[in-house]
Amino acid sequence: MGMTEILISLHLLGGLDDDTGKKPSKTALANVFQQAFGFSFNSLSDCQRELFKRKPYNLTKTLDALKAVLLKEYKKRQAENDRKNKDEKR
């Protein structure tokens, strides 16, 4: 379900273009995901339907987890940079 969440979000965002400069269909985007990550959606329509059946607080579980891990890494790197700057000033 996580890949469905990412795919649908990217499609709705509309920031992707195909080789001709047009917006790719969900099916075309799904094919790229399946080839790149080695899995099958089986039925993209069913996956999308299940995604939107989620309660609002569960709608973006995967995206929330991605955001959390990026923020954690950002804070870790900021702390490392702060330590380096303090050591250089000594």
Side-chain angles (χ1 to χ4, degrees):
M1 187 56 64
M3 293 302 262
T4 303
E5 187 179 318
I6 294 168
L7 180 133
I8 298 301
S9 297
L10 286 171
H11 186 263
L12 291 171
L13 188 61
L16 301 173
D17 296 331
D18 64 14
D19 295 341
T20 65
K22 296 179 182 176
K23 305 296 178 212
S25 67
K26 280 185 269 189
T27 303
L29 198 52
N31 288 336
V32 170
F33 267 57
Q34 291 173 130
Q35 288 176 350
F37 300 109
F39 74 98
S40 175
F41 282 108
N42 293 325
S43 171
L44 183 58
S45 298
D46 289 345
C47 291
Q48 183 176 343
R49 191 170 18 265
E50 289 300 314
L51 174 66
F52 288 111
K53 279 185 182 178
R54 287 181 178 178
K55 295 192 184 311
Y57 59 84
N58 281 334
L59 191 58
T60 59
K61 287 195 281 189
T62 302
L63 296 173
D64 294 343
L66 291 172
K67 180 180 177 181
V69 75
L70 284 172
L71 287 171
K72 183 178 178 180
E73 181 65 19
Y74 172 80
K75 289 175 183 178
K76 176 183 157 191
R77 290 179 183 216
Q78 286 296 105
E80 289 171 2
N81 285 338
D82 290 348
R83 267 193 300 269
K84 284 181 184 177
N85 289 337
K86 282 183 182 179
D87 290 343
E88 289 174 2
K89 290 181 181 179
R90 289 183 189 179

